[in-house]
Amino acid sequence: MSERSEHPAATRMDAATEAFVAHRNLLFTLAYEMLGSATDAEDVLQETWLLWAGVELGTVRDRRAYLIRIATRQALKRLRTLGRRRETYVGPWLPEPLLTAPDVAEDVELADSVSMAMLLVMETLTPTERAVFVLREVFDLDYEEIAQAVGKTPAAVRQIAHRARSHVSARRPRGTGSPAEHRAALQAFQRAVETGELQSLLDVLAPDVVALSDGGGIKHALLRPVVGVENVARLLAVGWWKRDGKRSVELVQINGGPGLLVRIDGEIDGVVAVRVEDGYVTGAYHVRNPEKLSRVERETAVTR
């Protein structure tokens, strides 16, 4: 008799580990889309693993669905806690940016769902609406599966899904720009950062553009949104980017689309992502909070 067959507990744990590892990136993506925070998503994964390790696998028909159910419930608990924490956040709150692989942009629905613009739209949903929207629209789960994950009836989930879909549809970017338009907009920002030349940037800013920056009370940032092309241009002209030290800017993939990684004296200082509609920048998102920049030095795998 083999050593493995003599230890059924070890065999069961091997099977549990194999299933968890196989779906880890999916579970991270699910938790991140619900929370907008990679740090909290990792905590959800840890909690999911601890619960999953105690499950009797012989009773589980669909391991993927079961893991999604655990992760969703843990993310919902954490999302309600985060809502209270964000009420005291200093200045605008922006999602934690991720450096993503270029192939994420090829899955248009996935790239859209993890974009900074979409994550901000989803912040306007209730926790249950957000969970239902992500599970239905991004991961294409049926209503029965979602009902089990969120503790509602399938009929209630259908209503929540319809409400969430309508809410997101009214607020999501319209005429979303192509990757080429995003790159052109970021390159205009890059020139403004590197040279102070603003004209090419003004040419791509929408009249009602909104600029947000997140320093978390740790780094200098805007304490409230700046709205309108003239106000954003004035902000840039008086030194949104002026910092002591040598500045460098790199075009990278942030949350499934082009973004800028800004360094001062070789150290990461912040990340810029944009929302592009019909070829114009309607939103600029500048994250400087150092507690949110741990995921922009190495790629994070997202999938569905």
Side-chain angles (χ1 to χ4, degrees):
M1 185 179 292
S2 70
E3 183 179 349
R4 180 176 294 273
S5 63
E6 292 174 359
H7 300 282
T11 301
R12 187 190 68 78
M13 188 55 68
D14 286 349
T17 302
E18 182 180 349
F20 184 81
V21 170
H23 299 298
R24 189 189 187 285
N25 291 342
L26 178 151
L27 297 174
F28 172 85
T29 306
L30 164 65
Y32 175 73
E33 291 191 8
M34 285 184 61
L35 300 168
S37 163
T39 303
D40 288 294
E42 289 290 355
D43 288 343
V44 165
L45 287 192
Q46 181 65 22
E47 294 159 2
T48 299
W49 164 250
L50 291 174
L51 292 169
W52 173 245
V55 171
E56 178 52 59
L57 296 186
T59 66
V60 178
R61 285 203 318 260
D62 185 335
R63 295 179 180 181
R64 176 182 182 271
Y66 201 102
L67 281 163
I68 286 176
R69 191 184 315 161
I70 298 175
T72 299
R73 290 174 178 172
Q74 297 308 304
L76 272 171
K77 289 180 184 177
R78 189 166 289 263
L79 187 56
R80 294 183 176 110
T81 301
L82 288 177
R84 293 189 293 272
R85 194 190 310 170
R86 287 171 191 168
E87 290 175 1
T88 60
Y89 196 80
V90 178
W93 180 93
L94 290 174
E96 185 176 348
L98 305 178
L99 184 69
T100 51
D103 61 358
V104 173
E106 297 172 9
D107 184 338
V108 176
E109 290 185 4
L110 176 62
D112 178 60
S113 70
V114 298
S115 69
M116 298 284 275
M118 179 56 73
L119 291 173
L120 282 173
V121 170
M122 288 198 288
E123 281 292 308
T124 64
L125 300 175
T126 67
T128 302
E129 286 173 343
R130 188 163 182 169
V132 169
F133 182 85
V134 170
L135 293 174
R136 181 65 181 168
E137 300 299 317
V138 181
F139 293 94
D140 199 29
L141 267 63
D142 62 41
Y143 293 114
E144 290 280 352
E145 291 177 295
I146 299 172
Q148 292 177 11
V150 302
K152 303 285 186 182
T153 65
V157 165
R158 284 181 180 274
Q159 291 182 332
I160 294 168
H162 176 74
R163 188 166 64 243
R165 195 180 303 116
S166 298
H167 187 95
V168 170
S169 179
R171 291 163 177 79
R172 77 189 312 161
R174 300 184 183 280
T176 305
S178 67
E181 288 173 329
H182 275 83
R183 280 194 298 275
L186 264 303
Q187 287 166 349
F189 266 98
Q190 187 173 6
R191 284 192 293 274
V193 174
E194 292 176 332
T195 68
E197 190 273 305
L198 296 180
Q199 187 55 53
S200 60
L201 181 55
L202 294 176
D203 291 340
V204 298
L205 294 180
D208 56 352
V209 60
V210 178
L212 298 169
S213 66
D214 178 345
I218 301 170
K219 288 287 192 76
H220 175 74
L222 303 172
L223 292 179
R224 59 187 59 84
V226 173
V227 183
V229 63
E230 292 183 2
N231 292 328
V232 172
R234 190 178 304 116
L235 172 69
L236 293 165
V238 300
W240 187 13
W241 300 105
K242 289 181 181 176
R243 304 278 181 264
D244 295 332
K246 184 178 179 181
R247 186 172 56 237
S248 64
V249 186
E250 179 184 0
L251 192 62
V252 294
Q253 286 286 318
I254 295 293
N255 287 59
L260 294 180
L261 186 61
V262 183
R263 288 186 172 87
I264 303 294
D265 292 331
E267 298 293 325
I268 292 176
D269 181 73
V271 166
V272 178
V274 297
R275 168 172 166 161
V276 176
E277 301 178 60
D278 297 325
Y280 290 95
V281 175
T282 58
Y285 314 114
H286 182 203
V287 181
R288 294 196 71 219
N289 184 346
E291 295 178 353
K292 293 185 176 184
L293 297 176
S294 64
R295 291 297 186 115
V296 297
E297 293 188 87
R298 58 184 176 84
E299 287 181 1
T300 295
V302 293
T303 189
R304 62 189 179 115

